[in-house]
Amino acid sequence: MIDTPSSLPRRHLLTRSATALAAAGLATWSHGAMAQAAAAKPLPTDLAWKDLNSVIVHSGNTIETKRGAFGTSVITPADQLYIRNNLPTPDASIVADRDAWVLTLDGVKNPRSLTVGDLKTMGLETVAMVLQCSGNGRGFFPSKPSGTGWTVGAAGCVVWSGVPVREVVQALGGVSPGMNYMTSTGGEKLPAGLDPKSIIVERSVPAAAMQDALLAWEMNGAPIPLAHGGPLRLIVPGFTGVNSIKYVKQLAFTAKESDARIMAHGYRLTPPGQKADPSQPSVQEMSVKSWVNSPSPDDGAHREGWMQINGVAFGGMHAVKGVEVSIDGGKTWQQARLVGPDLGKYAWRQFVLPAHFARGNYVVTSRATDRAGNVQPETRGENVSGYNNASWQDHAVKVSVA
Ligand SMILES: Nc1nc2c(c(=O)[nH]1)N[C@H]1C(S)=C(S)[C@@H](COP(=O)(O)O)O[C@H]1N2
Ligand SMILES: [Mo]
């Protein structure tokens, strides 16, 4: 038997002893793990490379990272990173010759098409960025909005390499006058018989976002997996996930926002009781947010003793300044310590607060502040589709210590 300190949460005991027994050739499951395995959906075949133990499979095109699976070393490994597809993933043949993928640029002085091979000669930059679905935290809305009930795992911190959009634009003579938006289009094959505008993945962000945007071909040190947008993905740091277009085939500077449904009606902050329309704010810039990953609701029972409460915090458009942690549901707060590498303002920071837990019940949560002085809110902003939930109350973890 492996020597395990009794203060470790039960999940560590389970993981270690299960591994040890599996190594000895003995099949063993706790009742909890067995129930979970029975309930878990299998990974779709094209995503069989994801780590099934670290993810929740909601459907073939929506996969979430388990809260207890986020590690403490900043970067989210590709095999644990969430997946969100609005359309079927393109055929794997598009990554057979990655450098041959063609991107069309428009709304610049000299519009033209460039291959990934061409783009690689034009510039190189690397950015660490929180990729987060605007629906992350939807599962905490009591109104039960339709869509995937993500809790915290439709997010990750990812390192991208590619060419800055501004350098490509400069090489093509600059943005044409009067173009206020950067509009990008996904390269999915559209099902026949449907109005393309009703299904195409096409998003507009303010043209100024090009300053920090990348046309990326690499993710966490490897060519971007097809599922995450390879061979070429637009990366818009600080903006919600939907604006980072996978398998991007067109990037155009436009006078108006795209009239595709996903832009005009989808992803709007629609007040309760109303219908989505283009006059409502779109989900674009992210705001300050944090949550505790350990202790996590995925843990089993906890024993009395010390815990290193840890989690992630990010500012969206601004760097994180600090994080406070509460173990009494927000009545009192203590300053946590930021730990690990600081990978820039678009990345998340890890935070830790050591705390001693006597027997009893606790509500553990975190509240981040960004460098612009914005404080993570206590409550969510209600909206029909359950977007942009940054509420520290909603993200609290109930912990019972026996
Ligand atoms: N072409 C294309 N880009 C896309 C999507 C898509 O369905 N097609 N989904 C968007 C949404 S809603 C999110 S949250 C992120 C998810 O990125 P991931 O699957 O790499 O985690 O990609 C965005 N970019
Ligand atoms: Mo999303």
Side-chain angles (χ1 to χ4, degrees), residues 317-362:
M317 303 301 289
H318 310 281
V320 167
K321 182 157 169 255
V323 184
E324 301 158 287
V325 167
S326 174
I327 64 170
D328 55 14
K331 286 193 200 76
T332 60
W333 297 91
Q334 271 180 279
Q335 199 67 40
R337 190 165 51 87
L338 298 178
V339 287
D342 179 351
L343 298 180
K345 67 174 179 178
Y346 295 122
W348 63 28
R349 295 297 309 269
Q350 304 282 336
F351 64 84
V352 67
L353 181 78
H356 187 270
F357 286 79
R359 286 183 192 191
N361 295 315
Y362 300 85

Side-chain angles (χ1 to χ4, degrees), residues 81-87 131-134 186-188 201 227-229 233 241-247 267:
L81 183 64
Y82 83 100
I83 289 277
R84 163 66 168 121
N85 289 326
N86 294 273
L87 284 172
L131 181 71
Q132 178 183 227
C133 182
S134 42
E188 287 106 335
V201 177
H228 292 294
R233 182 170 190 170
V242 69
N243 299 293
S244 287
I245 301 293
K246 305 198 256 193
Y247 4 88
Y267 297 89

Side-chain angles (χ1 to χ4, degrees), residues 38-114:
K41 289 197 187 99
L43 285 161
T45 44
D46 59 330
L47 293 170
W49 57 275
K50 291 276 173 185
D51 175 16
L52 186 57
N53 289 320
S54 300
V55 297
I56 303 159
V57 181
H58 292 287
S59 75
N61 48 25
T62 45
I63 295 174
E64 167 166 16
T65 311
K66 281 184 190 164
R67 194 167 187 163
F70 281 112
T72 51
S73 40
V74 185
I75 298 305
T76 310
D79 65 356
Q80 299 185 3
L81 183 64
Y82 83 100
I83 289 277
R84 163 66 168 121
N85 289 326
N86 294 273
L87 284 172
T89 309
D91 191 81
S93 59
I94 72 167
V95 287
D97 181 1
R98 290 167 174 270
D99 284 359
W101 179 260
V102 177
L103 172 73
T104 302
L105 290 120
D106 215 341
V108 287
K109 187 154 181 248
N110 304 306
R112 59 173 295 190
S113 293
L114 294 165

Side-chain angles (χ1 to χ4, degrees), residues 48-336:
W49 57 275
K50 291 276 173 185
D51 175 16
L52 186 57
N53 289 320
S54 300
V55 297
I56 303 159
V57 181
H58 292 287
S59 75
N61 48 25
T62 45
I63 295 174
E64 167 166 16
T65 311
K66 281 184 190 164
R67 194 167 187 163
F70 281 112
T72 51
S73 40
V74 185
I75 298 305
T76 310
D79 65 356
Q80 299 185 3
L81 183 64
Y82 83 100
I83 289 277
R84 163 66 168 121
N85 289 326
N86 294 273
L87 284 172
T89 309
D91 191 81
S93 59
I94 72 167
V95 287
D97 181 1
R98 290 167 174 270
D99 284 359
W101 179 260
V102 177
L103 172 73
T104 302
L105 290 120
D106 215 341
V108 287
K109 187 154 181 248
N110 304 306
R112 59 173 295 190
S113 293
L114 294 165
T115 64
V116 170
D118 297 330
L119 291 168
K120 285 180 175 171
T121 69
M122 298 174 75
L124 180 67
E125 189 63 76
T126 293
V127 64
M129 179 192 93
V130 174
L131 181 71
Q132 178 183 227
C133 182
S134 42
N136 201 28
R138 178 186 289 135
F140 301 128
F141 277 72
S143 56
K144 299 266 169 269
S146 65
T148 307
W150 315 101
T151 60
V152 299
C157 187
V158 187
V159 180
W160 307 95
S161 288
V163 60
V165 172
R166 60 169 196 281
E167 288 180 21
V168 178
V169 166
Q170 201 175 20
L172 302 189
V175 175
S176 300
M179 302 308 187
N180 302 316
Y181 296 96
M182 179 168 75
T183 298
S184 310
T185 314
E188 287 106 335
K189 262 219 176 83
L190 303 180
L194 293 170
D195 174 8
K197 290 276 182 204
S198 71
I199 44 174
I200 197 163
V201 177
E202 185 171 276
R203 293 282 302 175
S204 301
V205 295
M210 78 162 165
Q211 290 306 330
D212 286 347
L214 289 188
L215 287 159
W217 48 79
E218 198 177 292
M219 178 182 119
N220 290 354
I224 301 178
L226 176 66
H228 292 294
L232 189 70
R233 182 170 190 170
L234 175 72
I235 295 303
V236 189
F239 283 58
T240 58
V242 69
N243 299 293
S244 287
I245 301 293
K246 305 198 256 193
Y247 4 88
V248 59
K249 70 167 187 192
Q250 178 170 293
L251 188 151
F253 290 88
T254 54
K256 293 186 177 160
E257 288 183 354
S258 168
D259 59 356
R261 188 165 182 86
I262 195 172
M263 185 71 217
H265 291 86
Y267 297 89
R268 294 277 160 181
L269 295 168
T270 306
Q274 295 188 25
K275 280 209 155 48
D277 79 62
S279 73
Q280 298 152 356
S282 182
V283 293
Q284 294 191 313
E285 291 93 338
M286 294 191 290
S287 60
V288 63
K289 181 170 177 180
S290 70
W291 63 81
V292 167
N293 283 321
S294 181
S296 122
D298 307 346
D299 296 347
H302 288 273
R303 304 251 177 88
E304 206 171 348
W306 285 90
M307 276 190 241
Q308 302 292 325
I309 300 171
N310 64 75
V312 294
F314 53 100
M317 303 301 289
H318 310 281
V320 167
K321 182 157 169 255
V323 184
E324 301 158 287
V325 167
S326 174
I327 64 170
D328 55 14
K331 286 193 200 76
T332 60
W333 297 91
Q334 271 180 279
Q335 199 67 40

